[in-house]
Amino acid sequence: MTASHAYQMYNGYMSGVFDFTGTQMVLTMKLTSFAFNLFDGTADAKNVFPAEPHADKRKAKVYQDRQRFAIRSLPNPLEFFGYVYCFTCLLAGPAFEYADYSRSIDGSAFQVTSSESGGDQKLPSSAAAAPKRPSTVLPGLQRLLVAVVSLVLHLQVAGRFPIKSLYSKEFIASTSYLYRYLFMYMALLGDRLKYYFAWKVAEGASILGGFGFEGFDSQGQAKGWGGVENVNIVGCETASNVQTLSRNWNKRTQGWLERYTYHRTNKSLYATYFVSAFWHGLYPGFFLFFMSVPLLTNVERLIKAKINPYIVPGYDGFDIKTYPKTFFANLYWVLCIAGQMLVMTDIVQVFSMGSLENSLIALGSFHFVPHIAMVVLYITLEMLPTPGKKDKKKE
């Protein structure tokens, strides 16, 4: 994969052309996840499938996730290459796990289990008839419709707001900060729309192939086909923090990085985002963006720990039902969305700029204010006491 990135840069530097490197990226995700899952199911089986549950709840949750995807024995060559070169997701993903692929192929993904009726084993055919395999046509066509709309919007928006203007010295010199920021937002929206198009087409293709089924609910109704969803467009565009944004954007890659880098490097954000940058390519813009995200994430974590308890007491940071229903709490939510959008829009622009020169010109056009603000906020918040800590010490 890395050799492919280098070859592409050598032959088409800054061309922005999508070529075989995209397929190499998908194959890298599949092969590395397969290797880790095989390790979990064989060499590390004692930890992944313990005789007694892990005492540490967080550790137990991680290993529970590994149990789901663990491979207990090597598949035959046909099964292996069928997974690696599955035609529905070879070009643009989504790179789902081998366990999900296998369950879709053998049909077990479409069987009702007794956990959906109060137990945890598959119901025998004599006890209950499994529902018919849900149709994939309508869900596939829905994704195609979203993809076509995204493509049309991309062509309209990207044509009117070209990204190259963001590092044009003439454009920067002749426009105000406000206009340039609004222009940047629209340019990046146009850029995102092309990914929405590619991912939704691939998602629809995978669904038509029978992949991504989420099972049945307790009433025997199909839950949907979100198992191959690669992007939640609404979730991306309305995210109030980096965690929400990352869990809605390029979801299969996010899961791959979380399972096989984040949780296996002692939850190192910098290692995780470095791997992400390296996976995307060798352009400096990738590294400038991805290595800025951990700082923003740490600032948000500090806000969550030290500011949220005063403004949104009782909110656990995950369950929206725990969020206070007050005017100030709602205003705070809106401000969080606006703040995340302001900062992320500035730091993410370099992702599409490639070269170091273009990236520094674009960031410098706003005098690196978002990066400076993140550093100042991080230092300030680190010095503030965490609510409740003093009380706990007294106790």
Side-chain angles (χ1 to χ4, degrees):
M1 181 193 72
T2 303
S4 298
H5 283 314
Y7 178 83
Q8 193 275 339
M9 289 181 68
Y10 179 78
N11 286 278
Y13 186 72
M14 297 292 292
S15 65
V17 174
F18 286 95
D19 57 11
F20 65 93
T21 54
T23 298
Q24 292 296 323
M25 292 164 71
V26 173
L27 290 176
T28 298
M29 291 175 63
K30 285 189 171 185
L31 293 171
T32 53
S33 64
F34 183 92
F36 276 113
N37 291 329
L38 184 61
F39 173 82
D40 291 339
T42 54
D44 199 35
K46 289 184 179 180
N47 288 320
V48 177
F49 299 93
E52 297 292 334
H54 292 284
D56 187 331
K57 290 184 178 180
R58 292 186 178 182
K59 189 175 182 180
K61 186 177 180 181
V62 170
Y63 278 112
Q64 186 178 7
D65 191 51
R66 294 183 187 180
Q67 284 182 23
R68 179 187 169 194
F69 300 118
I71 301 172
R72 303 304 297 269
S73 61
L74 273 173
N76 64 49
L78 180 60
E79 292 170 331
F80 174 73
F81 287 110
Y83 164 66
V84 173
Y85 294 104
C86 179
F87 71 96
T88 66
C89 55
L90 184 61
L91 295 179
F96 42 86
E97 302 284 355
Y98 176 79
D100 292 335
Y101 167 84
S102 179
R103 284 193 285 264
S104 297
I105 293 296
D106 65 22
S108 60
F110 306 100
Q111 294 179 6
V112 174
T113 63
S114 57
S115 63
E116 294 158 343
S117 302
D120 60 2
Q121 300 293 326
K122 287 187 176 62
L123 291 172
S125 57
S126 58
K132 293 181 179 178
R133 179 168 171 160
S135 172
T136 61
V137 176
L138 184 58
L141 290 177
Q142 288 174 337
R143 272 66 174 187
L144 178 61
L145 177 61
V146 174
V148 171
V149 172
S150 298
L151 177 61
V152 173
L153 290 174
H154 163 68
L155 295 174
Q156 294 299 317
V157 176
R160 290 173 170 78
F161 301 92
I163 282 184
K164 63 181 181 181
S165 296
L166 300 178
Y167 52 82
S168 167
K169 293 181 179 179
E170 293 76 15
F171 176 79
I172 293 171
S174 61
T175 53
S176 65
Y177 291 113
L178 178 60
Y179 178 83
R180 199 158 62 249
Y181 181 85
L182 294 174
F183 188 99
M184 176 174 62
Y185 176 82
M186 292 304 298
L188 295 176
L189 173 61
D191 198 49
R192 289 196 297 275
L193 285 164
K194 72 181 179 186
Y195 292 102
Y196 296 160
F197 161 71
W199 286 337
K200 286 301 176 182
V201 168
E203 185 181 323
S206 294
I207 291 173
L208 289 173
F211 303 108
F213 185 61
E214 296 176 284
F216 300 94
D217 60 21
S218 59
Q219 305 301 317
Q221 299 298 313
K223 294 179 182 178
W225 296 86
V228 291
E229 184 179 58
N230 217 18
V231 61
N232 180 334
I233 297 176
V234 175
C236 280
E237 300 299 331
T238 60
S240 60
N241 54 65
V242 174
Q243 184 184 50
T244 302
L245 178 62
S246 64
R247 290 189 180 279
N248 285 284
W249 170 268
N250 204 354
K251 295 169 74 171
R252 300 307 114 195
T253 301
Q254 186 275 332
W256 174 68
L257 289 167
E258 181 177 8
R259 283 191 289 272
Y260 308 117
T261 303
Y262 182 68
H263 284 304
R264 298 178 194 251
T265 57
N266 197 27
K267 297 186 177 182
S268 171
L269 284 173
Y270 287 97
T272 303
Y273 281 107
F274 179 83
V275 169
S276 182
F278 196 71
W279 177 76
H280 278 88
L282 302 177
Y283 283 105
F286 294 141
F287 291 89
L288 283 174
F289 164 61
F290 283 111
M291 299 316 291
S292 297
V293 177
L295 176 59
L296 178 57
T297 303
N298 284 324
V299 169
E300 289 186 348
R301 287 177 175 178
L302 288 170
I303 291 174
K304 180 180 176 181
K306 300 186 178 185
I307 305 299
N308 281 13
Y310 295 112
I311 302 178
V312 285
Y315 179 48
D316 64 3
F318 300 99
D319 187 359
I320 191 65
K321 294 179 182 178
T322 64
Y323 196 82
K325 303 297 188 293
T326 65
F327 171 78
F328 288 107
N330 291 330
L331 177 62
Y332 180 66
W333 186 276
V334 172
L335 290 175
C336 286
I337 294 176
Q340 188 276 144
M341 187 182 298
L342 282 168
V343 177
M344 182 57 76
T345 299
D346 181 77
I347 68 175
V348 78
Q349 63 177 317
V350 297
F351 179 90
S352 302
M353 294 180 181
S355 74
L356 181 62
E357 180 185 6
N358 292 342
S359 299
L360 292 179
I361 290 174
L363 293 174
S365 67
F366 291 96
H367 308 292
F368 301 96
V369 169
H371 286 81
I372 295 172
M374 285 192 293
V375 173
V376 172
L377 269 174
Y378 180 79
I379 295 173
T380 303
L381 290 169
E382 276 286 1
M383 293 188 294
L384 293 178
T386 300
K389 277 196 170 183
K390 288 183 178 179
D391 296 333
K392 288 180 181 178
K393 287 180 179 178
K394 288 180 181 179
E395 293 175 3

